[in-house]
Every structure is written in structure tokens, then in C-alpha cells.
Amino acid sequence: METALRIEMPEGAEEIISRLKGRGYEAFAVGGCVRDSIMGRTPEDWDITTSALPVQVKEVFRRTIDTGIQHGTVTVMKGGIGYEVTTYRIDGEYRDGRHPSSVSFTSNLREDLRRRDFTINAMAYSHETGLVDAFGGLEDMKAGRIRCVGDPVERFTEDALRILRAIRFSAQLDFSIEDETLKAITTMAPNLAKVSRERVQTELTKLLLSPHPEKIRQVYDTGISPYVSEAFHRLNLENLQVNGRLPKKKHVRWGVFLKDASGTDAVQILRDLKLDNDTINRVRVLNQWINRPVCPDEKEIRRAMSAMEPSLFDDLLDIWEILGKTEEEQEQAGMRRETSGIIRRRGDCVSLKELAVSGRDLMDAGMKPGKAVGAMLQYLLSQVLEEPEQNKKETLLALAARRNEFSGPDDGG
Ligand code: ATP
Ligand code: MG
């Protein structure tokens, strides 16, 4: 089915399509970029599908990269942007529930569209032909519906990652999942065990970064959570508060999602899913602070500030503000922000970096090198967090000497 409809494409994509056509091949923009354009979203990248074989694509364009030549994909560079150009393809049998054991090329666009996961992702477009919508993608899009192309049980059996993609798209687009597709998700849930944890994580992270991260609940409602990770499944979602107003940052969304988990469970889940260490460390800190009833007084706020990087503390302020349910909680959040502003403007010391003495200074004053030096710096910082006016070299060295019985500041010449 072809529909007259005009989609604005980047020049590079237009040029690739018209060059291929000029050589007698068919070529279309396809998949996510068509979906997003029709919905008024900005596509991340433009994929092109063509009847030309990879060697033929390489004959047409000077600058190409063999991205996945065995799957028919060649990247064509245009104006510094890479476009993936893939030959019309039929996926062979799926043996491992994730990857086709072979692919074969076809000259029929419809066959290529049939292998795609959801109807809204199975549309192609070119200026000449207009929209090619063989499986009712436009209608599903208008109805706000995620529906598999063909039999959903079969499609999820072929590739279990599609189970999570369905839920992820429903969160990104605020769509519902069509009944048969939804039933098949529940039936096929155990197959998710065959998918690499990295891929599971990528989908869950995209879901959490979407405008509707609360839809992560569907992962539980559909019965797939046990196949994400054991600790993930055990999470208590009673007070799930992750929402689309939170900053779009990985550690913020994961941190809020995991805020009611113990620190150990939170880290376990992130490790299970192979999240990067930076994110894990930030979530670990957020997990300790999000639910803490921090008084907006200066000492407590300095303590909170000293526990993390300034930018993470800013995220925490945003989180507190956005999660505040009652007027009182909102007010507390506002006061915490205000107090931290005062502390920053005044330049109070809230980290070892800002402390008026260094480990070097302590050793010069007679302290033996070793672990005790670090512990002493921590002690001095804790004192300075209580009373910022103590952050002077002489004062701190005297404090250290009193505590540690070393010679202390030089009192003679
Ligand atoms: P996004 O880029 O936002 O993740 P997308 O729809 O562009 O969304 P991609 O992973 O970039 O998704 O894939 C491009 C297209 O390839 C999809 O629109 C879909 O047609 C097809 N596709 C991707 N992954 C699968 C899959 N696992 N099974 C079937 N078709 C898929
Ligand atoms: Mg894409």
C-alpha cells in the first residue's frame, strides 16, 4: 500500500536514494526514521534499504565502510554523516533465539519489511514512491499501538530482544501494546534469558530515559522481570516514582528507579546488567541520599555535599524537588537548594580538595606516612563541615596535633 505523504529528509539521504535510483536500483528510507518523521520526532539516524547488493552499493559510492557486509549493510558517508545502506533481506532460521543463522538477499521490498519487528517500524519512504506501508503501520501509529509484523509468538521466538523493544517503544512513544502482541510477550518471556545482558540493559536504559519511564512497570506486569535478573525481579515497586520530569541522565533515572532497593541490591542489579562503573558509583551514592530526611540546615547540607561531586549533588537537588509529593516535602527540597546555594557562594570547604591542609602538610608537620594520614584528613574535613571557619592551615594542624600527639605546627623558628 502506498500513501502520498511528504517527509523531509537530510540531503545526504536524498542524495543516496537518488544516486541508487539513477543506477536502476530501488532505494528507500526505512524503519525508525520513517516512523519518527511521521510522528514529528527527530530521527537519530537515517537507514536506507535498497535492492542493490552490497558490492553494487560500493560501486556507486566512493566513501563506504563495510559495517556488516555479511548482513548486507554498507555505511555510506555523506557530509560527515554515515548512512547505513542495507540490501533487501530475508532473515534465515533463528537458531539461538536472537540471531538469524543466515540471511539471504531479495529484490522484493515487501519481504524486507516483513522481517522487521513492529508495524510502525516496517514502513519505507521515498519522495518518488511516497510511503510504503505493507502491514498497517500508519493505522497502528494513529491508534498508538505497538503490533508485531505477522504472528507475535513466532516473531518473539525468532528474536527475544523484540520483547523488550516492544515495551521500550511503548514508553518512548506513549503507545499501548496490542493484545495479541502483549499476550505473546508473556508467553515468550522465558526466551529473554537467551539475550545478552548488555542488550537487555540498553533497552531498559532507553526505556528509563524515555518520556514515560514509569512504564518499566510493564516489565513486571508482563512477567518478564524474572528473566532480567533475580535481584531486579525482587524489587519492590510499591512506591515507584521514576517519571518523565526527571533529568534525562542514566544515573538519575536508574537511581530513582532503584531508590527503595538496598544499596547492595541496587548495585547487584546494575552489575547483573553490565552497567558502566561510573553509573554504578553514582547510583550507589544517590541510593544513600534520595530517601534520607536531610534537614536543610547548613551542617547537614555540607555533609551531603561532601559525599559527592558537585554535579551529582545538583542532580540530587533536582530529584528531591521532583519527587516531593507533599507541600512540606516540596518546601524542604526548596530549602535544601537554597542552603546549598548559600554554602557555595560563601565557598565553604566541602571536600578534601578544598581543605586548607594536605597530606603533604601533615607529614611535613611530623606525621608518619601511611593510612593514618588519609584518616586524619577525613577527620579534619568532618570538623570543617561542622565549623567552616576552622578551615585554616594553622588551626587544622593544631587540631591534628592534638588528636595524634605529633609535634604540631612549628612553634619556634
Ligand atoms: P531507535 O534507533 O530509536 O532504537 P529504530 O526503530 O531505529 O529505533 P534500530 O535498532 O535503529 O531501531 O533499527 C532500525 C530498524 O531495523 C527498525 O526500525 C526495525 O525496522 C528493524 N529492526 C531493528 N531491530 C530489530 C529486531 N530485533 N527485529 C526486527 N527488526 C528490527
Ligand atoms: Mg535507529
Side-chain angles (χ1 to χ4, degrees):
M1 197 213 312
E2 291 165 20
T3 308
L5 177 142
R6 171 95 188 169
I7 288 177
E8 286 315 316
M9 276 193 247
E11 238 171 75
E14 278 176 351
E15 199 184 315
I16 291 168
I17 291 172
S18 74
R19 289 266 297 277
L20 286 165
K21 282 199 173 145
R23 297 288 198 97
Y25 306 113
E26 295 177 11
F28 297 88
V30 71
C33 60
V34 176
R35 175 199 69 220
D36 288 343
S37 296
I38 300 175
M39 292 188 69
R41 295 160 45 99
T42 310
E44 253 173 56
D45 35 39
W46 288 77
D47 295 330
I48 288 155
T49 187
T50 180
S51 60
L53 294 170
V55 284
Q56 296 170 323
V57 174
K58 289 171 70 166
E59 277 165 15
V60 177
F61 301 99
R62 202 166 353 127
R63 302 196 50 211
T64 64
I65 303 160
D66 290 1
T67 316
I69 209 122
Q70 66 283 24
H71 300 114
T73 304
V74 172
T75 297
V76 177
M77 297 305 298
K78 281 276 168 230
I81 300 169
Y83 295 87
E84 290 197 353
V85 179
T86 305
T87 306
Y88 293 168
R89 185 178 102 183
I90 303 174
D91 292 338
E93 206 181 313
Y94 285 75
R95 296 234 177 84
D96 62 355
R98 179 69 192 97
H99 307 283
S101 49
S102 65
V103 304
S104 52
F105 300 131
T106 166
S107 56
N108 186 342
L109 172 63
R110 194 190 153 91
E111 289 302 315
D112 179 82
L113 296 177
R114 188 199 296 287
R115 73 169 169 92
R116 294 173 185 272
D117 48 5
F118 307 112
T119 60
I120 56 167
N121 288 348
M123 294 185 280
Y125 172 87
S126 72
H127 290 323
E128 242 172 68
T129 309
L131 187 72
V132 182
D133 174 19
F135 301 98
L138 198 56
E139 196 190 324
D140 283 334
M141 188 181 285
K142 284 183 183 147
R145 216 158 39 204
I146 311 285
R147 179 206 302 271
C148 282
V149 174
D151 176 43
V153 170
E154 226 169 81
R155 304 314 308 281
F156 293 140
T157 307
E158 289 169 355
D159 178 0
L161 183 68
R162 293 171 186 156
I163 292 172
L164 272 180
R165 281 174 59 90
I167 296 176
R168 184 256 289 191
F169 283 122
S170 92
Q172 285 181 325
L173 308 172
D174 197 16
F175 278 20
S176 60
I177 300 174
E178 173 272 333
D179 281 351
E180 289 303 310
T181 301
L182 191 62
K183 256 191 254 163
I185 287 179
T186 300
T187 312
M188 301 312 298
N191 275 26
L192 202 68
K194 299 180 187 179
V195 177
S196 82
R197 292 307 92 175
E198 286 87 346
R199 298 303 297 265
V200 170
Q201 183 255 299
T202 317
E203 291 302 322
L204 291 176
T205 297
K206 283 184 181 176
L207 193 167
L208 285 173
L209 288 172
S210 77
H212 292 279
E214 70 283 357
K215 289 202 176 194
I216 197 159
R217 203 183 268 286
Q218 287 183 102
V219 175
Y220 292 80
D221 297 343
T222 50
I224 67 184
S225 52
Y227 308 101
V228 172
S229 105
E230 196 251 326
F232 181 90
H233 179 56
R234 272 193 281 112
L235 270 187
N236 177 359
L237 298 193
E238 218 170 296
N239 192 19
L240 182 74
Q241 269 189 290
V242 67
N243 68 64
R245 286 172 291 128
L246 290 160
K248 283 194 193 66
K249 298 179 189 173
K250 254 202 304 198
H251 60 275
V252 170
R253 298 287 175 103
W254 274 107
V256 173
F257 172 59
L258 296 172
K259 73 180 170 49
D260 298 328
S262 70
T264 317
D265 280 352
V267 169
Q268 184 65 51
I269 290 167
L270 299 176
R271 289 235 169 91
D272 286 345
L273 294 175
K274 321 270 185 208
L275 267 117
D276 57 284
N277 286 333
D278 261 2
T279 305
I280 295 180
N281 288 331
R282 291 188 188 128
V283 172
R284 196 203 311 266
V285 174
L286 289 176
N287 183 269
Q288 290 168 357
W289 288 94
I290 293 177
N291 288 339
R292 203 182 281 201
V294 176
C295 250
D297 80 23
E298 294 193 359
K299 285 182 196 177
E300 284 223 29
I301 296 297
R302 276 194 298 268
R303 258 180 239 131
M305 293 170 83
S306 75
M308 63 199 89
E309 299 269 294
S311 68
L312 191 57
F313 183 77
D314 287 332
D315 293 333
L316 181 62
L317 289 175
D318 290 341
I319 292 170
W320 277 335
E321 203 161 271
I322 292 167
L323 297 192
K325 278 182 288 199
T326 62
E327 212 167 296
E328 196 194 326
E329 283 171 339
Q330 294 275 337
E331 202 176 304
Q332 287 273 320
M335 278 154 62
R336 288 171 187 160
R337 189 185 290 283
E338 211 167 296
T339 305
S340 67
I342 293 169
I343 291 167
R344 277 183 178 160
R345 282 192 294 277
R346 201 167 49 213
D348 288 359
C349 162
V350 295
S351 69
L352 289 180
K353 263 193 309 221
E354 300 159 297
L355 203 61
V357 298
S358 65
R360 185 75 260 155
D361 295 331
L362 290 174
M363 290 184 286
D364 286 349
M367 216 178 154
K368 285 207 196 80
K371 273 194 184 155
V373 175
M376 181 61 80
L377 289 171
Q378 285 298 341
Y379 164 75
L380 295 175
L381 177 59
S382 72
Q383 294 302 302
V384 165
L385 292 173
E386 294 285 312
E387 295 174 44
E389 56 286 356
Q390 300 220 46
N391 194 28
K392 295 189 190 83
K393 194 164 172 180
E394 289 293 297
T395 313
L396 294 182
L397 286 177
L399 253 178
R402 207 178 313 144
R403 186 172 169 85
N404 207 43
E405 297 176 349
F406 63 83
S407 65
D410 219 330
D411 44 13

mmCIF file of all heavy atoms in Angstrom, residues 57-78:
data_model
loop_
_atom_site.group_PDB
_atom_site.id
_atom_site.type_symbol
_atom_site.label_atom_id
_atom_site.label_comp_id
_atom_site.label_asym_id
_atom_site.label_seq_id
_atom_site.Cartn_x
_atom_site.Cartn_y
_atom_site.Cartn_z
ATOM 1 N N VAL A 57 26.367 -1.395 -4.112
ATOM 2 C CA VAL A 57 26.329 -0.139 -3.347
ATOM 3 C C VAL A 57 27.737 0.470 -3.328
ATOM 4 O O VAL A 57 27.925 1.667 -3.526
ATOM 5 C CB VAL A 57 25.820 -0.381 -1.905
ATOM 6 C CG1 VAL A 57 25.929 0.898 -1.073
ATOM 7 C CG2 VAL A 57 24.371 -0.878 -1.911
ATOM 8 N N LYS A 58 28.730 -0.395 -3.145
ATOM 9 C CA LYS A 58 30.105 0.092 -3.057
ATOM 10 C C LYS A 58 30.604 0.618 -4.400
ATOM 11 O O LYS A 58 31.506 1.458 -4.442
ATOM 12 C CB LYS A 58 31.024 -1.009 -2.531
ATOM 13 C CG LYS A 58 30.752 -1.270 -1.044
ATOM 14 C CD LYS A 58 31.460 -2.483 -0.506
ATOM 15 C CE LYS A 58 32.955 -2.279 -0.408
ATOM 16 N NZ LYS A 58 33.559 -3.340 0.423
ATOM 17 N N GLU A 59 30.030 0.116 -5.483
ATOM 18 C CA GLU A 59 30.407 0.642 -6.801
ATOM 19 C C GLU A 59 29.853 2.047 -7.017
ATOM 20 O O GLU A 59 30.445 2.865 -7.696
ATOM 21 C CB GLU A 59 29.847 -0.269 -7.911
ATOM 22 C CG GLU A 59 30.715 -1.477 -8.205
ATOM 23 C CD GLU A 59 29.952 -2.517 -9.035
ATOM 24 O OE1 GLU A 59 28.881 -2.174 -9.612
ATOM 25 O OE2 GLU A 59 30.421 -3.655 -9.065
ATOM 26 N N VAL A 60 28.702 2.310 -6.420
ATOM 27 C CA VAL A 60 28.036 3.597 -6.644
ATOM 28 C C VAL A 60 28.678 4.730 -5.835
ATOM 29 O O VAL A 60 28.740 5.858 -6.295
ATOM 30 C CB VAL A 60 26.522 3.487 -6.326
ATOM 31 C CG1 VAL A 60 25.832 4.832 -6.483
ATOM 32 C CG2 VAL A 60 25.861 2.440 -7.232
ATOM 33 N N PHE A 61 29.155 4.404 -4.608
ATOM 34 C CA PHE A 61 29.661 5.470 -3.743
ATOM 35 C C PHE A 61 31.154 5.332 -3.485
ATOM 36 O O PHE A 61 31.670 4.230 -3.352
ATOM 37 C CB PHE A 61 28.894 5.462 -2.417
ATOM 38 C CG PHE A 61 27.420 5.666 -2.602
ATOM 39 C CD1 PHE A 61 26.550 4.584 -2.603
ATOM 40 C CD2 PHE A 61 26.905 6.938 -2.827
ATOM 41 C CE1 PHE A 61 25.190 4.767 -2.800
ATOM 42 C CE2 PHE A 61 25.541 7.124 -3.032
ATOM 43 C CZ PHE A 61 24.679 6.041 -3.016
ATOM 44 N N ARG A 62 31.795 6.482 -3.407
ATOM 45 C CA ARG A 62 33.233 6.466 -3.225
ATOM 46 C C ARG A 62 33.609 6.144 -1.784
ATOM 47 O O ARG A 62 34.487 5.358 -1.526
ATOM 48 C CB ARG A 62 33.812 7.817 -3.646
ATOM 49 C CG ARG A 62 35.260 7.716 -3.988
ATOM 50 C CD ARG A 62 35.809 8.956 -4.727
ATOM 51 N NE ARG A 62 34.795 9.924 -5.104
ATOM 52 C CZ ARG A 62 34.870 11.223 -4.794
ATOM 53 N NH1 ARG A 62 35.881 11.684 -4.095
ATOM 54 N NH2 ARG A 62 33.929 12.062 -5.196
ATOM 55 N N ARG A 63 32.917 6.805 -0.854
ATOM 56 C CA ARG A 63 33.306 6.625 0.543
ATOM 57 C C ARG A 63 32.332 5.696 1.264
ATOM 58 O O ARG A 63 31.224 6.095 1.605
ATOM 59 C CB ARG A 63 33.365 7.980 1.249
ATOM 60 C CG ARG A 63 34.349 8.947 0.578
ATOM 61 C CD ARG A 63 34.675 10.093 1.490
ATOM 62 N NE ARG A 63 35.068 9.604 2.814
ATOM 63 C CZ ARG A 63 34.846 10.257 3.945
ATOM 64 N NH1 ARG A 63 34.228 11.405 3.931
ATOM 65 N NH2 ARG A 63 35.226 9.747 5.105
ATOM 66 N N THR A 64 32.750 4.449 1.468
ATOM 67 C CA THR A 64 31.892 3.488 2.166
ATOM 68 C C THR A 64 32.682 2.737 3.233
ATOM 69 O O THR A 64 33.909 2.661 3.177
ATOM 70 C CB THR A 64 31.306 2.431 1.205
ATOM 71 O OG1 THR A 64 32.387 1.663 0.673
ATOM 72 C CG2 THR A 64 30.528 3.057 0.063
ATOM 73 N N ILE A 65 31.980 2.205 4.192
ATOM 74 C CA ILE A 65 32.597 1.397 5.244
ATOM 75 C C ILE A 65 31.820 0.085 5.307
ATOM 76 O O ILE A 65 30.587 0.098 5.290
ATOM 77 C CB ILE A 65 32.506 2.116 6.614
ATOM 78 C CG1 ILE A 65 33.167 3.502 6.536
ATOM 79 C CG2 ILE A 65 33.135 1.282 7.723
ATOM 80 C CD1 ILE A 65 32.724 4.454 7.632
ATOM 81 N N ASP A 66 32.561 -1.020 5.378
ATOM 82 C CA ASP A 66 31.893 -2.323 5.493
ATOM 83 C C ASP A 66 31.433 -2.527 6.934
ATOM 84 O O ASP A 66 32.190 -3.025 7.763
ATOM 85 C CB ASP A 66 32.855 -3.452 5.116
ATOM 86 C CG ASP A 66 33.157 -3.438 3.628
ATOM 87 O OD1 ASP A 66 32.635 -2.554 2.925
ATOM 88 O OD2 ASP A 66 33.923 -4.318 3.184
ATOM 89 N N THR A 67 30.206 -2.161 7.217
ATOM 90 C CA THR A 67 29.728 -2.207 8.600
ATOM 91 C C THR A 67 29.307 -3.616 8.980
ATOM 92 O O THR A 67 29.657 -4.121 10.039
ATOM 93 C CB THR A 67 28.528 -1.258 8.782
ATOM 94 O OG1 THR A 67 28.820 -0.044 8.120
ATOM 95 C CG2 THR A 67 28.242 -1.011 10.234
ATOM 96 N N GLY A 68 28.526 -4.218 8.121
ATOM 97 C CA GLY A 68 28.029 -5.557 8.417
ATOM 98 C C GLY A 68 27.729 -6.226 7.092
ATOM 99 O O GLY A 68 26.601 -6.591 6.803
ATOM 100 N N ILE A 69 28.804 -6.352 6.320
ATOM 101 C CA ILE A 69 28.628 -6.731 4.926
ATOM 102 C C ILE A 69 27.928 -8.085 4.787
ATOM 103 O O ILE A 69 27.102 -8.283 3.903
ATOM 104 C CB ILE A 69 29.986 -6.672 4.175
ATOM 105 C CG1 ILE A 69 29.752 -6.357 2.698
ATOM 106 C CG2 ILE A 69 30.779 -7.944 4.339
ATOM 107 C CD1 ILE A 69 30.447 -5.142 2.208
ATOM 108 N N GLN A 70 28.197 -9.002 5.737
ATOM 109 C CA GLN A 70 27.544 -10.327 5.651
ATOM 110 C C GLN A 70 26.034 -10.217 5.877
ATOM 111 O O GLN A 70 25.271 -11.089 5.458
ATOM 112 C CB GLN A 70 28.205 -11.341 6.597
ATOM 113 C CG GLN A 70 28.051 -11.064 8.071
ATOM 114 C CD GLN A 70 28.995 -9.953 8.590
ATOM 115 O OE1 GLN A 70 29.461 -9.088 7.852
ATOM 116 N NE2 GLN A 70 29.237 -9.953 9.874
ATOM 117 N N HIS A 71 25.591 -9.146 6.539
ATOM 118 C CA HIS A 71 24.152 -8.901 6.685
ATOM 119 C C HIS A 71 23.637 -7.912 5.655
ATOM 120 O O HIS A 71 22.494 -7.470 5.721
ATOM 121 C CB HIS A 71 23.823 -8.396 8.088
ATOM 122 C CG HIS A 71 24.201 -9.365 9.162
ATOM 123 N ND1 HIS A 71 25.188 -9.102 10.085
ATOM 124 C CD2 HIS A 71 23.751 -10.608 9.431
ATOM 125 C CE1 HIS A 71 25.319 -10.155 10.882
ATOM 126 N NE2 HIS A 71 24.459 -11.072 10.516
ATOM 127 N N GLY A 72 24.509 -7.506 4.751
ATOM 128 C CA GLY A 72 24.072 -6.632 3.675
ATOM 129 C C GLY A 72 24.204 -5.153 3.965
ATOM 130 O O GLY A 72 23.682 -4.338 3.219
ATOM 131 N N THR A 73 24.913 -4.794 5.034
ATOM 132 C CA THR A 73 24.977 -3.380 5.403
ATOM 133 C C THR A 73 26.315 -2.737 5.053
ATOM 134 O O THR A 73 27.379 -3.226 5.431
ATOM 135 C CB THR A 73 24.715 -3.190 6.908
ATOM 136 O OG1 THR A 73 23.456 -3.775 7.223
ATOM 137 C CG2 THR A 73 24.679 -1.716 7.285
ATOM 138 N N VAL A 74 26.224 -1.637 4.338
ATOM 139 C CA VAL A 74 27.386 -0.827 4.000
ATOM 140 C C VAL A 74 27.070 0.584 4.488
ATOM 141 O O VAL A 74 25.963 1.061 4.312
ATOM 142 C CB VAL A 74 27.580 -0.794 2.465
ATOM 143 C CG1 VAL A 74 28.662 0.190 2.073
ATOM 144 C CG2 VAL A 74 27.896 -2.182 1.937
ATOM 145 N N THR A 75 28.027 1.219 5.146
ATOM 146 C CA THR A 75 27.794 2.599 5.565
ATOM 147 C C THR A 75 28.322 3.542 4.491
ATOM 148 O O THR A 75 29.467 3.409 4.062
ATOM 149 C CB THR A 75 28.457 2.889 6.917
ATOM 150 O OG1 THR A 75 27.847 2.059 7.903
ATOM 151 C CG2 THR A 75 28.290 4.349 7.326
ATOM 152 N N VAL A 76 27.476 4.460 4.054
ATOM 153 C CA VAL A 76 27.880 5.449 3.059
ATOM 154 C C VAL A 76 28.049 6.785 3.764
ATOM 155 O O VAL A 76 27.159 7.229 4.492
ATOM 156 C CB VAL A 76 26.820 5.563 1.935
ATOM 157 C CG1 VAL A 76 27.201 6.656 0.943
ATOM 158 C CG2 VAL A 76 26.643 4.226 1.222
ATOM 159 N N MET A 77 29.201 7.420 3.574
ATOM 160 C CA MET A 77 29.476 8.710 4.211
ATOM 161 C C MET A 77 29.028 9.846 3.304
ATOM 162 O O MET A 77 29.378 9.877 2.122
ATOM 163 C CB MET A 77 30.978 8.850 4.494
ATOM 164 C CG MET A 77 31.555 7.834 5.467
ATOM 165 S SD MET A 77 30.719 7.771 7.074
ATOM 166 C CE MET A 77 31.026 9.456 7.669
ATOM 167 N N LYS A 78 28.268 10.760 3.887
ATOM 168 C CA LYS A 78 27.821 11.954 3.138
ATOM 169 C C LYS A 78 27.850 13.142 4.089
ATOM 170 O O LYS A 78 27.147 13.120 5.105
ATOM 171 C CB LYS A 78 26.377 11.774 2.644
ATOM 172 C CG LYS A 78 26.238 10.910 1.417
ATOM 173 C CD LYS A 78 26.470 11.699 0.128
ATOM 174 C CE LYS A 78 26.599 10.741 -1.024
ATOM 175 N NZ LYS A 78 27.757 10.975 -1.866
#
